Amino acid sequence: MKLYCLSGHPTLPCNVLKFKSTTIMLDCGLDTTAALYFLPLPLVHSPRLSKLPGWVSKDGAVNLEKELKECSGRVFVDSQPEFCLPEKELLDLSTIDVILISNYHCMMALPYITEHTGFTGTVYATEPTLQIGRLLMEELVTFMERVPKAQAATCWKNKEIQRLLPGPLKDAVDVWSWRKCYSVQEVNSALSKVQLVGYSQKVELFGAVQVTPLSSGYSLGSSNWIIQSHYEKVSYVSGSSLLTTHPQPMEQSSLKNSDVLILTGLTQIPTANPDGMLGEFCSNLAMTIRAGGNVLVPCYSSGVIYDLLECLYQFMDSANLGSTPFYFISPVANSSLEFSQIFAEWLCQNKQSKVYLPEPPFPHAELIQTNKLKHYPSIHGDFSSEFRQPCVVFTGHPSLRFGDVVHFMELWGKSSLNTIIFTEPDFSYLDALAPYQPLAMKCVYCPIDTRLNFHQVSKLLKDIQPLHVVCPEPYTQPPPAQPHRSDLMLELQPPPMAYRRCSVLGLPFRRRYERIHLLPELARSLVPSEIKAGVSVATVSAVLQSKDNKHVLQPVPKPAPVPPSKKRKRVTEEPPEVLNPKPLLSGAVPLEPFLAMLHKNGITEVKVEETADGHILHLQTEDVLIQLEEDATHIICDNNEPLRTALRDLVLRFLQKL
Amino acid sequence: MPDIKVTPLGAGQDVGRSCILVSIGGKNIMLDCGMHMGYNDDRRFPDFSYITQNGRLTEFLDCVIISHFHLDHCGALPYMSEMVGYDGPIYMTHPTKAICPILLEDFRKITVDKKGETNFFTSQMIKDCMKKVVPLNLHQTVQVDEELEIKAYYAGHVLGAAMVQIKVGSESVVYTGDYNMTPDRHLGAAWIDKCRPDLLISESTYATTIRDSKRCRERDFLKKVHETVERGGKVLIPVFALGRAQELCILLETFWERMNLKAPIYFSTGLTEKANHYYKLFITWTNQKIRKTFVQRNMFEFKHIKAFDRSYADNPGPMVVFATPGMLHAGQSLLIFKKWAGNEKNMVIMPGYCVQGTVGHKILNGQKKLEMEGRATLDVKLQVEYMSFSAHADAKGIMQLIRMAEPRNMLLVHGEAKKMEFLKDKIEQEFSISCYMPANGETTSIVTNPSVPVDISLNLLKREMALGGPLPDAKRPRTMHGTLIMKDNSLRLVSPEQALKELGLSEHQLRFTCRVQLHDPHSDNDTLGRIYTHLKSVLKTYSIQHVPDGTVIVESIVIKVTSSAEEPNLKVILLSWSYQTADSTATKKKKIQL
């Protein structure tokens, strides 16, 4: 059993597990942080961005002014943003049988994997994961296609040139594997390969392996996976949460008794408490609005935004800000809000019980009804005429490189009355803001990451006791910025097996058994005998049938009855001989009882001679020698088959047969 | 011999008060717990005293499963759990859990508040009963206890309707509840995987019907409604608040829109709006098309269909009214029917099955005079039409489901005996499996033949697969030999050698030696050499070795040649073999006789 690690990113994993003749990909996360090296894509022509100076090396030897622009001392690539894909060279992606998706953030690379690689397998995901994943992909595609860039910058990627570049660009790795966004066709084709599954549904893969998604508590439809055979169990824990937010709580007990637990997707901000961050978010928001400024919240279109809206729903009235409008701007804003209301089965108990009333599970339905929350597909159209300030705008993309958020950065960035509040933990907010410097707007960093922290995970592991833990390398050491915080790492016994991008790990497994079925007729014919107290054995002679990785033992077919002999005898070929071989023997033949037994069977003249290892019996009348030893019996008897058989049977009476 | 026992307490050769007891692998399960629309006395509920004479059912049942929210499948639930007494788990899907208590409350109101019956379950009992409900998701495997697991499949009969698979070890039963094999305007078609259950328990409401195309039926329905409305008549469509009602509403709504009709359409109960809200929140349970477009246009927001008020019934002019309940046995639909029955311009369309004893059943059978309470009679002059819009599988659909699931046995419930008989013959002929149709209180026993799961050592399995190939070859049969070790509760199949090792036993060697004398003038070694060449030529398929120390080894048979100094020509050949090779030795020995 092997694990191929195609992504080193701890929260955007992509691993391939080879287990019992199946090849299973676990998640395919897309690392979008590469987009931070690029210039933002403005929706409306931005004079500021278009006037940025091109980059020329100090000695003037390298001139890339068409591809690279300088902004406040940092150099950005002026091209359509690109993303870092999972490694494609480590193994042949066309051999992948199935892809298991744990949550909608971890499937964004799916079209790169399933299209143009010869992939012919199936993707398994829950319904909310599929539907919301589709929305996020469509949003990404719309963001890109709305503002097409004529040129694609590639010169800077040349190794010789990249070496000479300044700042973070010089250190960017694997730049040749970066790709631009996929198309809607590719999204549709990739998602058509998804097979829906429900929590605790047992899915058989080729009869060899069973996979089961379990609720992971992180987002709508998010799941951990159990991959098991009858004897081995691998748990894949990815993006789990123990906090009470909108999704169904995490299912923990089914993770017990794992041989291997693959652990990814812990919190990216282990030092920030989500509840505290939420409080800070609200107070900063209120402060800005009261001062007459606007609040910009760059966020994904699904996930934490539902909790933010719910929290604000309660907070705004109590803070006397009930009349402040909220705007949610995204090509998929409406769909995301609508979809969130129809997945009752996947929500926490509290929200589920609302549906029985029947009421929508999320209070944002009420916000929309009372016109406090308005959603628009983009800043163009109705929004421009309807929007009032001061207001709160939720919009994407959190990288600040594309999407409607770019427009608000240009619009509001110059005023110190306005505030941008970062809630998504995926991007460094300083890097995200770099191309907008100098910036007058206030910046608040309130990352809300509900995924497991190190304290929670060590408690979880103590409860479920996996034999081995596999995790990304960063989890095995303290964060680089806080080298003394040994509490912010995994300390386990035995130590976890760490992986990085392109690692291939051999997982410590020894498969010993396989499940086989005895047909009822065969089972009935068995004759068990007790060897010791509580242990019985039976000799099984059967015909093996293996089909679709299922093994069955059938009784040995009886030879066809010889047809009644006809007058003209025909020489027919004898059916091949099926002989029952003799069982192995065990035990010892005790001297006195054996002599008694011989006596009983009419053999009376026996001369017994003691030897070093036992006895030699001379049956004088029959002229037969029998050597009796602890672990052996030797019958020396010339051409007297009936006698030999009789003696054999007498000996066998004292022995156990296996 | 292990068996599965099935006893219907209701719905055995009958439609109504579905309640089927199943015993499988030592577990007892109650499937559905319904009421009978045709009775107003004790017979209305299943006879739970069959399970136990005195007291509570908790210790006799491992779980109760409700297939969908129709009262003939869940109407006796609060009576069973709160009045007879049952505290174990009750499983149903989320939509069923949401809608079922509303219908139960409605049923209670009609029975207690309107008819004044006492000794009936109360609102509080409905609430207490619902607290025992555990929601089921589609395809989720729910472990009721260590051995018993259940799994729900989409049944397409009404919102949230499910079929269930019940599994204990390798034995399994599938119960269909009510199902529909053709997708309609708001629901998808029932689906199940090839799970090969030991027994499939299927409804058989339309056992003998093969329905014409849905399109024809819909056109017919719309034509009749349209004609009646055109000539100024009133159309009454008795329905149950949830289920077919939504289907027909969608149908009429689109027709009214297309034809630009003005006659009002009403829906009689206050439930409608609430009901439609459920459909909106449980949109994932509807069909593909509605799910795909719900963000743009929600099919359950009707423009033409308004809430009905009792006074509207006397309004002049045409109208269409959907009224509950569906079999005209009580409530508003019966009230309106009484008002309109005297006018031949009016029409009643029965869109579903009517249970014996209900007014619906009587008028469908052509009865023109109905006896009402208080000796009054009612003349039925209005037109009576029957249109099968019930989302039940027809004969074709039932056969299709059998092909899908491939059961080993079949059992029919929820249908009329005569029709079942016909279907039973057909199933037995076409699939050559046994088909049963027990009456209420009659137990059917089905012998199962489960195979025995065993852990085989991977070494043994791999060796065997390498030698014999995966499938038995009729020409070269190969027998695998192993030792089954039974210890505690585990069964392990290992090679005999491994078994000895594991059990800490040493092998006991049993060998035989015999001497054969023969005259041969050559030296001992040459004699042995001659024996070797001879054996080589006769025993071609065996491995034969000539070891330099003066022995020939044929598999485990050892051959030595000795002679005495006195008579060098009289050779004594020592043949020694072990117990395990005795049989083949016999044949070989014969061949050595030079």
Side-chain angles (χ1 to χ4, degrees):
Chain A
M1 176 138 72
K2 275 191 171 157
L3 189 72
Y4 296 77
C5 309
L6 311 189
S7 156
H9 195 300
T11 37
L12 296 167
C14 183
N15 294 312
V16 175
L17 178 70
K18 287 206 175 191
F19 180 28
K20 268 189 82 177
S21 76
T22 56
T23 306
I24 302 170
M25 178 178 271
L26 306 169
D27 278 333
C28 47
L30 181 65
D31 187 353
T32 46
T33 48
L36 292 174
Y37 295 100
F38 292 76
L39 266 195
L41 288 180
L43 266 172
V44 194
H45 176 74
S46 155
R48 184 185 71 87
L49 287 172
S50 58
K51 276 188 208 138
L52 290 176
W55 181 82
V56 182
S57 66
K58 278 203 183 98
D59 54 4
V62 187
N63 183 339
L64 284 178
E65 56 184 1
K66 285 237 166 81
E67 290 199 349
L68 304 179
K69 304 279 168 175
E70 222 168 334
C71 176
S72 301
R74 245 168 117 154
V75 175
F76 295 92
V77 182
D78 186 11
S79 171
Q80 198 189 88
E82 295 179 344
F83 309 124
C84 178
L85 308 197
E87 187 59 49
K88 284 179 143 180
E89 308 300 319
L90 196 59
L91 88 167
D92 180 0
L93 295 179
S94 69
T95 62
I96 289 170
D97 299 311
V98 295
I99 303 180
L100 309 181
I101 303 293
S102 57
N103 63 66
Y104 47 77
H105 288 301
C106 290
M107 65 186 286
M108 297 299 280
L110 202 57
Y112 296 115
I113 305 288
T114 61
E115 308 308 300
H116 320 300
T117 58
F119 173 81
T120 53
T122 311
V123 182
Y124 289 97
T126 62
E127 180 159 14
T129 299
L130 170 67
Q131 301 298 0
I132 297 174
R134 177 192 296 278
L135 294 182
L136 294 182
M137 287 182 183
E138 284 172 358
E139 183 187 48
L140 199 62
V141 173
T142 314
F143 282 162
M144 296 296 176
E145 291 183 350
R146 224 160 42 171
V147 275
K149 276 246 173 192
Q151 66 155 351
T154 51
C155 294
W156 70 275
K157 288 185 180 178
N158 191 315
K159 254 195 193 129
E160 291 308 305
I161 296 177
Q162 198 200 353
R163 205 161 50 85
L164 304 169
L165 298 180
L169 262 189
K170 184 170 71 175
D171 308 314
V173 288
D174 293 327
V175 292
W176 281 108
S177 69
W178 292 8
R179 288 286 174 277
K180 63 182 178 71
C181 190
Y182 31 73
S183 68
V184 163
Q185 290 76 26
E186 285 167 319
V187 170
N188 287 337
S189 168
L191 296 184
S192 70
K193 289 158 188 155
V194 175
Q195 173 105 43
L196 294 181
V197 288
Y199 287 151
S200 308
Q201 178 176 348
K202 296 175 177 168
V203 181
E204 288 275 332
L205 305 182
F206 316 108
V209 178
Q210 193 183 61
V211 296
T212 311
L214 301 173
S215 175
S216 76
Y218 169 57
S219 61
L220 269 177
S222 69
S223 26
N224 293 322
W225 290 85
I226 304 278
I227 302 130
Q228 62 186 342
S229 68
H230 279 287
Y231 308 94
E232 301 87 14
K233 178 168 172 179
V234 180
S235 295
Y236 174 55
V237 173
S238 163
S240 299
S241 175
L242 292 171
L243 296 182
T244 323
T245 55
H246 59 274
Q248 210 180 97
M250 177 182 180
E251 154 76 40
Q252 298 178 48
S253 58
S254 305
L255 298 171
K256 282 181 181 164
N257 305 319
S258 302
D259 296 292
V260 171
L261 184 135
I262 303 169
L263 179 68
T264 66
L266 300 182
T267 175
Q268 302 189 73
I269 320 287
T271 48
N273 168 1
D275 280 331
M277 287 294 132
L278 208 55
E280 219 169 290
F281 173 83
C282 288
S283 64
N284 277 296
L285 185 139
M287 213 150 58
T288 308
I289 299 285
R290 286 209 183 94
N294 299 298
V295 177
L296 179 62
V297 186
C299 62
Y300 291 115
S301 297
S302 179
V304 178
I305 184 171
Y306 303 140
D307 298 310
L308 286 178
L309 288 174
E310 182 160 4
C311 171
L312 288 177
Y313 165 81
Q314 291 156 356
F315 172 76
M316 293 306 271
D317 276 328
S318 67
N320 249 333
L321 295 167
S323 61
T324 312
F326 297 154
Y327 300 113
F328 178 16
I329 301 166
S330 155
V332 299
N334 185 25
S335 299
S336 166
L337 293 172
E338 288 286 340
F339 269 112
S340 68
Q341 305 286 23
I342 65 160
F343 291 126
E345 283 107 313
W346 310 88
L347 294 172
C348 63
Q349 193 78 50
N350 201 347
K351 295 221 170 323
Q352 225 171 62
S353 55
K354 280 197 158 177
V355 181
Y356 298 145
L357 293 177
E359 274 172 26
F362 284 98
H364 55 238
E366 201 186 315
L367 285 174
I368 295 170
Q369 227 165 37
T370 55
N371 267 332
K372 285 180 180 164
L373 171 65
K374 293 192 163 189
H375 52 81
Y376 301 91
S378 94
I379 52 164
H380 300 301
D382 294 344
F383 175 71
S384 46
S385 56
E386 288 176 12
F387 109 110
R388 288 185 292 123
Q389 305 193 52
C391 63
V392 183
V393 169
F394 295 88
T395 188
H397 185 270
S399 66
L400 306 191
R401 291 302 179 272
F402 42 87
D404 301 86
V405 71
V406 175
H407 178 73
F408 287 99
M409 285 308 293
E410 296 290 328
L411 188 69
W412 290 345
K414 293 165 213 104
S415 163
S416 62
L417 278 180
N418 301 327
T419 306
I420 177 169
I421 309 182
F422 291 89
T423 56
E424 300 290 352
D426 285 2
F427 302 91
S428 141
Y429 78 104
L430 289 175
D431 288 343
L433 289 173
Y436 299 97
Q437 300 294 1
L439 199 66
M441 163 187 230
K442 277 200 291 288
C443 301
V444 179
Y445 185 52
C446 298
I448 298 172
D449 195 331
T450 57
R451 284 172 280 206
L452 295 175
N453 61 34
F454 286 99
H455 176 71
Q456 291 166 327
V457 84
S458 61
K459 193 173 164 291
L460 174 76
L461 292 176
K462 223 173 255 164
D463 284 349
I464 60 178
Q465 300 270 355
L467 289 183
H468 301 275
V469 173
V470 176
C471 70
E473 200 172 39
Y475 294 165
T476 60
Q477 53 217 19
Q482 294 139 303
H484 57 284
R485 291 289 298 268
S486 61
D487 57 324
L488 301 183
M489 61 180 276
L490 278 182
E491 272 185 292
L492 301 171
Q493 230 18 270
M497 304 171 66
Y499 72 82
R500 51 171 83 173
R501 191 177 167 105
C502 290
S503 294
V504 180
L505 302 184
L507 298 183
F509 257 108
R510 254 207 76 197
R511 293 184 48 221
R512 293 220 168 119
Y513 287 99
E514 182 59 271
R515 181 49 62 98
I516 198 165
H517 283 266
L518 309 187
L519 284 191
E521 305 85 71
L522 177 66
R524 270 196 298 277
S525 72
L526 296 180
V527 191
S529 59
E530 193 163 28
I531 292 276
K532 6 178 158 163
V535 183
S536 302
V537 298
T539 308
V540 179
S541 295
V543 174
L544 171 72
Q545 180 177 3
S546 298
K547 206 164 132 187
D548 300 337
N549 288 315
K550 298 269 183 232
H551 312 288
V552 171
L553 281 181
Q554 309 167 330
V556 180
K558 292 203 181 82
V562 183
S565 57
K566 287 177 191 161
K567 275 185 186 163
R568 268 180 57 200
K569 257 193 179 172
R570 261 189 296 166
V571 185
T572 48
E573 210 177 305
E574 257 183 81
E577 205 175 8
V578 182
L579 288 170
N580 276 345
K582 292 295 191 307
L584 291 184
L585 303 173
S586 174
V589 183
L591 179 65
E592 290 307 322
F594 184 63
L595 287 174
M597 184 72 79
L598 288 177
H599 201 268
K600 224 167 125 191
N601 284 275
I603 300 167
T604 47
E605 278 179 73
V606 180
K607 206 178 117 197
V608 180
E609 189 183 315
E610 205 155 319
T611 64
D613 303 315
H615 300 87
I616 292 180
L617 280 58
H618 188 199
L619 281 51
Q620 292 175 320
T621 327
E622 295 82 6
D623 194 21
V624 168
L625 285 173
I626 301 177
Q627 281 180 321
L628 287 183
E629 287 171 16
E630 180 73 28
D631 287 333
T633 302
H634 194 172
I635 299 174
I636 301 156
C637 163
D638 291 342
N639 258 339
N640 187 346
E641 192 67 36
L643 176 64
R644 182 163 44 229
T645 317
L647 287 173
R648 181 194 70 192
D649 292 342
L650 290 182
V651 170
L652 286 179
R653 283 196 205 177
F654 292 94
L655 296 173
Q656 284 161 336
K657 294 149 209 84
L658 285 176
Chain B
M1 204 63 124
D3 62 356
I4 298 173
K5 286 198 174 70
V6 182
T7 315
L9 296 186
Q13 303 181 3
D14 186 16
V15 178
R17 64 166 189 205
S18 284
C19 184
I20 298 137
L21 299 176
V22 173
S23 296
I24 171 172
K27 307 283 168 185
N28 298 315
I29 298 115
M30 179 185 284
L31 300 169
D32 280 338
C33 189
M35 52 90 73
H36 203 296
M37 312 271 183
Y39 300 117
N40 280 322
D41 50 20
D42 281 353
R43 289 172 297 173
R44 153 169 74 200
F45 292 145
D47 179 11
F48 297 112
S49 67
Y50 176 91
I51 304 171
T52 171
Q53 284 292 337
N54 32 18
R56 307 177 67 77
L57 304 175
T58 312
E59 57 179 302
F60 299 96
L61 294 176
D62 290 280
C63 72
V64 174
I65 303 170
I66 303 295
S67 66
H68 64 284
F69 58 63
H70 277 154
L71 287 175
D72 58 329
H73 292 259
C74 68
L77 198 56
Y79 171 76
M80 193 270 308
S81 74
E82 305 312 306
M83 297 174 77
V84 180
Y86 169 74
D87 299 319
I90 301 169
Y91 292 95
M92 55 179 82
T93 66
H94 284 270
T96 309
K97 187 184 172 190
I99 296 165
C100 169
I102 295 170
L103 297 185
L104 285 170
E105 181 58 30
D106 227 42
F107 173 39
R108 189 199 66 79
K109 267 193 202 145
I110 291 176
T111 320
V112 178
D113 299 356
K114 295 232 171 95
K115 293 192 193 159
E117 279 188 49
T118 50
N119 193 23
F120 204 71
F121 54 77
T122 62
S123 295
Q124 189 54 44
M125 286 178 181
I126 298 176
K127 283 187 191 124
D128 292 341
C129 166
M130 294 313 290
K131 281 183 195 143
K132 297 169 186 169
V133 171
V134 183
L136 267 180
N137 294 326
L138 282 186
H139 301 166
Q140 172 194 20
T141 306
V142 174
Q143 214 72 41
V144 177
D145 58 33
E146 296 249 305
E147 290 106 32
L148 173 61
E149 59 179 52
I150 57 178
K151 180 177 178 183
Y153 291 92
Y154 192 79
H157 172 65
V158 286
L159 194 72
M163 310 194 271
V164 275
Q165 181 192 36
I166 300 141
K167 214 171 157 189
V168 179
S170 53
E171 295 173 277
S172 66
V173 172
V174 170
Y175 172 59
T176 65
D178 292 354
Y179 63 104
N180 187 10
M181 296 299 287
T182 44
D184 58 26
R185 277 165 195 271
H186 80 295
L187 295 173
W191 178 86
I192 194 163
D193 49 25
K194 207 176 276 313
C195 54
R196 299 197 175 94
D198 292 299
L199 177 66
L200 175 66
I201 305 176
S202 171
E203 65 135 325
S204 51
T205 323
Y206 290 121
T208 53
T209 321
I210 289 179
R211 281 183 293 184
D212 46 2
S213 88
K214 218 183 62 182
R215 204 172 270 259
C216 284
R217 249 178 301 145
E218 289 180 354
R219 209 170 29 222
D220 240 33
F221 169 79
L222 292 170
K223 200 173 136 215
K224 279 180 179 147
V225 172
H226 192 193
E227 280 168 6
T228 311
V229 171
E230 286 286 278
R231 62 168 186 260
K234 296 178 168 63
V235 182
L236 171 65
I237 308 171
V239 288
F240 289 99
L242 291 131
R244 288 305 86 196
Q246 277 66 28
E247 178 76 5
L248 294 175
C249 283
I250 293 176
L251 188 62
L252 276 189
E253 167 95 6
T254 35
F255 185 70
W256 247 238
E257 193 145 327
R258 201 177 60 211
M259 305 293 286
N260 202 13
L261 297 179
K262 292 286 178 280
I265 309 177
Y266 297 113
F267 204 112
S268 78
T269 66
L271 262 177
T272 354
E273 205 162 326
K274 219 174 177 185
N276 290 340
H277 216 109
Y278 280 117
Y279 278 85
K280 282 169 69 179
L281 290 172
F282 287 112
I283 212 104
T284 51
W285 286 80
T286 59
N287 70 24
Q288 197 85 33
K289 194 181 151 208
I290 293 188
R291 272 155 60 191
K292 249 192 171 152
T293 56
F294 90 104
V295 177
Q296 288 79 40
R297 166 166 166 55
N298 199 311
M299 288 296 272
F300 299 104
E301 276 162 12
F302 302 114
K303 270 191 260 165
H304 297 273
I305 302 170
K306 308 265 170 7
F308 181 73
D309 186 277
R310 198 178 296 194
S311 61
Y312 296 174
D314 299 320
N315 284 0
M319 66 174 87
V320 180
V321 175
F322 288 96
T324 57
M327 299 186 193
L328 283 180
H329 55 282
Q332 198 140 35
S333 62
L334 188 58
L335 272 174
I336 300 173
F337 176 77
K338 284 183 197 165
K339 278 193 178 165
W340 294 357
N343 190 339
E344 54 280 318
K345 266 210 300 199
N346 297 340
M347 177 183 278
V348 61
I349 300 181
M350 307 299 298
Y353 181 85
C354 287
V355 164
Q356 213 153 28
T358 58
V359 172
H361 188 264
K362 286 175 193 159
I363 58 168
L364 279 181
N365 279 341
Q367 213 167 312
K368 288 291 171 198
K369 266 195 193 326
L370 295 173
E371 281 169 43
M372 292 288 142
E373 292 124 60
R375 291 205 199 148
T377 54
L378 181 69
D379 288 320
V380 181
K381 288 190 185 150
L382 87 177
Q383 296 180 56
V384 177
E385 294 288 343
Y386 173 71
M387 294 241 159
S388 150
F389 274 99
S390 306
H392 290 282
D394 59 1
K396 216 168 75 192
I398 297 171
M399 302 305 257
Q400 200 183 338
L401 187 81
I402 300 176
R403 253 183 301 265
M404 253 179 171
E406 289 191 359
R408 296 193 185 89
N409 295 280
M410 188 74 196
L411 190 143
L412 300 177
V413 294
H414 200 284
E416 290 160 29
K418 262 194 197 152
K419 297 183 181 174
M420 278 185 180
E421 202 84 58
F422 174 83
L423 184 64
K424 171 177 152 44
D425 289 345
K426 212 173 138 188
I427 290 169
E428 288 183 335
Q429 256 175 35
E430 189 162 338
F431 299 101
S432 12
I433 55 175
S434 313
C435 184
Y436 306 87
M437 39 174 284
N440 287 334
E442 186 188 324
T443 301
T444 301
S445 209
I446 284 139
V447 174
T448 56
N449 222 348
S451 59
V452 182
V454 160
D455 303 341
I456 185 170
S457 116
L458 205 56
N459 288 338
L460 180 61
L461 180 68
K462 282 196 171 157
R463 189 175 73 193
E464 202 55 34
M465 283 178 61
L467 288 173
L471 290 173
D473 184 345
K475 285 185 189 147
R476 282 180 42 229
R478 212 191 123 71
T479 319
M480 175 178 131
H481 301 282
T483 303
L484 188 65
I485 305 178
M486 292 163 254
K487 193 176 164 188
D488 302 325
N489 272 327
S490 78
L491 292 175
R492 286 178 306 125
L493 185 60
V494 298
S495 61
E497 293 82 6
Q498 194 185 338
L500 275 180
K501 218 158 97 191
E502 261 181 51
L503 297 168
L505 302 174
S506 48
E507 193 188 341
H508 189 102
Q509 293 276 352
L510 176 57
R511 287 193 78 79
F512 303 90
T513 299
C514 93
R515 286 166 295 190
V516 181
Q517 296 190 341
L518 55 94
H519 285 273
D520 191 51
H522 301 86
S523 73
D524 291 0
N525 250 339
D526 287 353
T527 312
L528 194 68
R530 286 183 62 205
I531 292 171
Y532 175 68
T533 2
H534 173 70
L535 288 176
K536 264 237 144 59
S537 66
V538 284
L539 302 174
K540 283 190 178 108
T541 53
Y542 296 86
S543 86
I544 302 171
Q545 279 175 290
H546 189 173
V547 185
D549 74 347
T551 48
V552 165
I553 299 173
V554 186
E555 312 237 298
S556 78
I557 305 163
V558 181
I559 303 167
K560 272 189 180 169
V561 177
T562 55
S563 58
S564 56
E566 302 94 64
E567 282 187 83
N569 286 350
L570 184 69
K571 308 289 183 197
V572 179
I573 299 171
L574 287 171
L575 262 167
S576 173
W577 67 96
S578 75
Y579 167 63
Q580 280 76 14
T581 41
D583 280 345
S584 44
T585 309
T587 35
K588 280 166 227 164
K589 224 163 57 189
K590 281 180 202 142
K591 297 188 176 164
I592 291 173
Q593 316 288 337
L594 291 161

